[in-house]
Amino acid sequence: MSDQDPQPDSPVTTGGAAAEPVHERLEARSFRVGDGTEVRRLLPQRRLRTVGAWCFADHYGPDDVIDAEGMQVPPHPHAGLQTVSWLLEGEIVHRDSLGSLQRVGPRELSLMTSGRGISHSEESPADRPPILYGVQLWVALPEAARHGEASYEHHTALPVVAHGALTATVVLGEHGAARSPGTTFSRLVGLDVHVDGDGALPLEPDFEHAAFVLDGEAVVDGDKVGVGDLVHLGRGREEVLLSGEDARVMVLGGEPLGEQLVLWWNFVCRSGEEVAQAREDWESGDRFGTVVGYPGPRLPAPPLGPARLLPRS
Ligand code: MN
């Protein structure tokens, strides 16, 4: 997925995090892309830039993709991050500049580590199911890893941990003794929790956490929420109470990175100068490699206005 928000935020310096438990409900910013598909941006928000190293979350669908071309995201670059594609329904084909060609279905982890630079495309396969429904997440790479090599992983066997009425799939990171096979570069967790009744989900108190509804409606920490709502939970919690009927809740958490991030388009950088260099390298360099086999031209970078180079203090 590329950041297709027609009006991306200015780069914002991040890094702070609530040190204590909080409960704050935040509403996604919704916008339409391409063919009219609605995307709900849960992260970043003005009041919450990051949750641990998680720095971006878009929730989309369920969309009918049976007509015309379905989803088509042309080749575009990434730097300084990992992308996590997690589908509730549907299928996509991932191609990248490493030569990866992978068909990805529901409940399969598609994890791309950009390191210093990678490019990729995503498309609906010709023989696709009619509905596409999922979430796209980004994890900021810490300083020690962000200049490293790019890689791509596809994992179909993920740990599942039951807590009474809650069934948690460990998409990425650690949950108690369970670990996702996906590679991580800071301590974090990403859970897809099936909620059917009332239950307490154990949390790592050192982590900052947030939860949002993937599907259905749920009560999160006493607050009834639906698709498009995110609940920031802060730090220092041993557990969070969840209830619902056949709902799915995504819980994100992690140790605060403690680094200042500048996000612009598909890049996670540390300064406006780095953003400008990454943009220039996509427009006229070979830093991000070439995606082979995508049936169409690559995405041009949006214009970089002078105001976007000024991180907010
Ligand atoms: Mn992408």
Side-chain angles (χ1 to χ4, degrees):
M1 187 78 62
S2 171
D3 182 353
Q4 297 178 77
D5 184 347
Q7 295 183 300
D9 281 348
S10 300
V12 174
T13 303
T14 65
E20 302 295 327
V22 298
H23 179 104
E24 184 176 21
R25 188 212 291 216
L26 300 169
E27 204 171 301
R29 190 161 52 92
S30 296
F31 53 92
R32 295 189 179 277
V33 297
D35 57 358
T37 297
E38 186 184 75
V39 174
R40 293 166 286 277
R41 177 139 314 152
L42 295 149
L43 274 184
Q45 301 207 20
R46 292 194 194 288
R47 295 184 58 83
L48 184 65
R49 311 305 304 187
T50 52
V51 178
W54 298 97
C55 63
F56 180 97
D58 268 1
H59 182 265
Y60 57 90
D63 292 316
D64 186 340
V65 291
I66 207 63
D67 292 334
E69 298 177 316
M71 185 187 78
Q72 296 289 334
V73 183
H76 59 278
H78 284 287
L81 55 80
Q82 292 178 289
T83 64
V84 176
S85 296
W86 185 248
L87 296 180
L88 285 82
E89 282 187 66
E91 286 185 10
I92 53 173
V93 171
H94 164 96
R95 302 175 195 267
D96 65 42
S97 51
L98 301 173
S100 311
L101 173 59
Q102 183 64 56
R103 196 167 168 141
V104 179
R107 306 186 63 78
E108 298 177 1
L109 172 62
S110 179
L111 176 65
M112 186 176 76
T113 300
S114 75
R116 184 171 178 277
I118 194 171
S119 54
H120 74 140
S121 64
E122 289 155 299
E123 68 204 70
S124 293
D127 56 343
R128 59 185 170 271
I131 298 297
L132 187 64
Y133 193 14
V135 64
Q136 166 84 191
L137 309 164
W138 296 356
V139 178
L141 290 172
E143 183 61 31
R146 72 188 187 98
H147 305 287
E149 297 296 308
S151 63
Y152 177 75
E153 301 166 47
H154 176 241
H155 298 288
T156 57
L158 301 170
V160 176
V161 183
H163 304 283
L166 312 179
T167 308
T169 300
V170 188
V171 178
L172 192 65
E174 56 187 273
H175 177 61
R179 272 204 72 86
S180 162
T183 303
T184 52
F185 297 88
S186 61
R187 291 188 64 213
L188 57 82
V189 67
L191 303 174
D192 178 341
V193 185
H194 183 248
V195 182
D196 201 15
D198 303 333
L201 181 75
L203 299 177
E204 166 56 57
D206 290 343
F207 288 180
E208 177 183 29
H209 288 95
F212 62 90
V213 173
L214 283 170
D215 190 45
E217 282 188 333
V219 178
V220 176
D221 194 33
D223 199 356
K224 188 167 186 177
V225 289
V227 166
D229 294 318
L230 176 143
V231 179
H232 182 209
L233 298 166
R235 294 178 73 185
R237 286 177 183 263
E238 302 274 350
E239 62 181 29
V240 62
L241 300 180
L242 303 175
S243 60
E245 288 178 26
D246 195 21
R248 281 167 75 176
V249 173
M250 181 140 249
V251 176
L252 303 180
E255 283 188 335
L257 261 194
E259 296 183 34
Q260 294 193 324
L261 309 179
V262 177
L263 278 69
W264 183 81
W265 195 37
N266 298 311
F267 307 131
V268 177
C269 299
R270 297 296 186 275
S271 69
E273 289 74 17
E274 281 188 12
V275 166
Q277 185 64 55
R279 184 186 183 281
E280 188 179 320
D281 289 344
W282 174 243
E283 292 299 288
S284 62
D286 59 6
R287 170 174 166 188
F288 298 100
T290 302
V291 178
V292 174
Y294 181 79
R298 65 186 212 153
L299 273 185
L304 189 63
R308 295 206 173 125
L309 286 178
L310 298 174
R312 282 176 207 152
S313 55

